[in-house]
C-alpha cells in the first residue's frame, strides 16, 4: 500500500532559519512553499530524491498560531519530528482499507496538501505514537 516515504514533517519556530540550515549544510533545495490555513501552518518542501509515484522530501512546518496542531505540539514537546507521511496510489482507497482495520482516521476525506497533493492523517494513538499522513501526489501535468 505504501509506495515511498513522501516526507518527514519537522516542527520548528522559525522556518526561514531552518530552511537556511538545510540549504547551507546539506545543499537541499526548496521546491515548494505554502501557507495552509486549514492546517494552520506555513510549510516548505525540500527535495531529497525522486521515488515511486512522487518525490521524497523534508517538510518544514511553522505554526500560524498557538492553537493549531503544530503550535500545540511545539508548546508540549518542542522542535522535532512531527509526522511521517507515506505516499499511496489512492488516498480514498487507503482510508477505506486502513479504516477497515480499526485505525482511527483524523480525516475521513482527503484534504488539500503541499504541491496540490491529497492528504489525510491517521491518529498517533493508534499508530504507536506516530502521527501518520497519507499522501497522493498530484497527477503530473502534461
Ligand atoms: C499530538 N500528539 C501527538 C502529536 N500531536 N503524538 C505524536 N505526534 C504528534 N504530532 C498526542 C499528544 O501528545 C497527546 O497525547 C494526544 O496526541 C492529543 O494531543 P493534543 O495536544 O491534545 O492535541 P489534539 O488532540 O487537539 O490534536 C492532536 C492531533 C492533531 C494529532 C489530532 O494534531 C491533528 O489533527 N493533526 C493532523 C493535522 C496536522 O498535524 N496538520 C499539520 C501538518 P497524550 O499527551 O494525551 O498522551 S499539515 C501537513 O503535513 C501538510 C499540509 C502536508 O501537505 O503534508
Ligand atoms: Co505533512
Amino acid at each position: 500500500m505504501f509506495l515511498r516515504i513522501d516526507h518527514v514533517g519537522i516542527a520548528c519556530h522559525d522556518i526561514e532559519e531552518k530552511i537556511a540550515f538545510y540549504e547551507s549544510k546539506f545543499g537541499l533545495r526548496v521546491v515548494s512553499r505554502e501557507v495552509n490555513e486549514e492546517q494552520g501552518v506555513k510549510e516548505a518542501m525540500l527535495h531529497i530524491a525522486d521515488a515511486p509515484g512522487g518525490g521524497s522530501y523534508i517538510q518544514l512546518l511553522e505554526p500560524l498560531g498557538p492553537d493549531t496542531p503544530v503550535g500545540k505540539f511545539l508548546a508540549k514537546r518542542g522542535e522535532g519530528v512531527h509526522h511521517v507521511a507515506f505516499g499511496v496510489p489512492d488516498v480514498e482507497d487507503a482510508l477505506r482499507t486502513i479504516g477497515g482495520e480499526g485505525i482511527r482516521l483524523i480525516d475521513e476525506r482527503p484534504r488539500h496538501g503541499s504541491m496540490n497533493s491529497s492528504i489525510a492523517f491517521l491518529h498517533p494513538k493508534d499508530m504507536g505514537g506516530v502521527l501518520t499522513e497519507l499522501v497522493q501526489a498530484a497527477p503530473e501535468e502534461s
Side-chain angles (χ1 to χ4, degrees):
M1 176 190 299
F2 296 156
L3 297 172
R4 64 186 179 281
I5 291 179
D6 184 280
H7 63 269
V8 174
I10 298 177
C12 63
H13 292 290
D14 182 342
I15 196 169
E16 303 306 330
E17 180 192 295
K18 290 296 183 291
I19 288 171
F21 171 79
Y22 280 101
E23 283 179 340
S24 67
K25 304 280 190 245
F26 304 110
L28 294 187
R29 191 166 47 91
V30 174
V31 290
S32 164
R33 280 171 178 261
E34 187 173 332
V35 172
N36 186 323
E37 299 277 352
E38 183 185 33
Q39 299 292 340
V41 292
K42 191 194 250 193
E43 54 93 354
M45 297 294 258
L46 295 111
H47 184 256
I48 305 285
D50 293 325
S56 135
Y57 308 89
I58 292 287
Q59 182 175 54
L60 298 174
L61 303 158
E62 181 187 303
L64 294 180
D67 198 18
T68 59
V70 175
K72 285 166 77 176
F73 179 92
L74 280 173
K76 247 189 192 170
R77 304 195 188 192
E79 294 186 315
V81 174
H82 178 259
H83 64 270
V84 174
F86 293 102
V88 295
D90 184 315
V91 72
E92 287 188 327
D93 264 8
L95 283 175
R96 262 191 299 276
T97 307
I98 293 166
E101 298 288 341
I103 293 166
R104 227 173 322 158
L105 310 177
I106 293 174
D107 301 302
E108 302 274 344
R109 284 160 201 283
R111 300 185 185 280
H112 168 82
S114 192
M115 302 186 289
N116 284 321
S117 61
S118 293
I119 64 171
F121 285 91
L122 311 178
H123 206 285
K125 292 289 170 201
D126 288 347
M127 291 297 295
V130 180
L131 176 60
T132 302
E133 178 184 343
L134 307 174
V135 182
Q136 179 183 341
E140 281 188 48
E141 286 174 38
S142 51

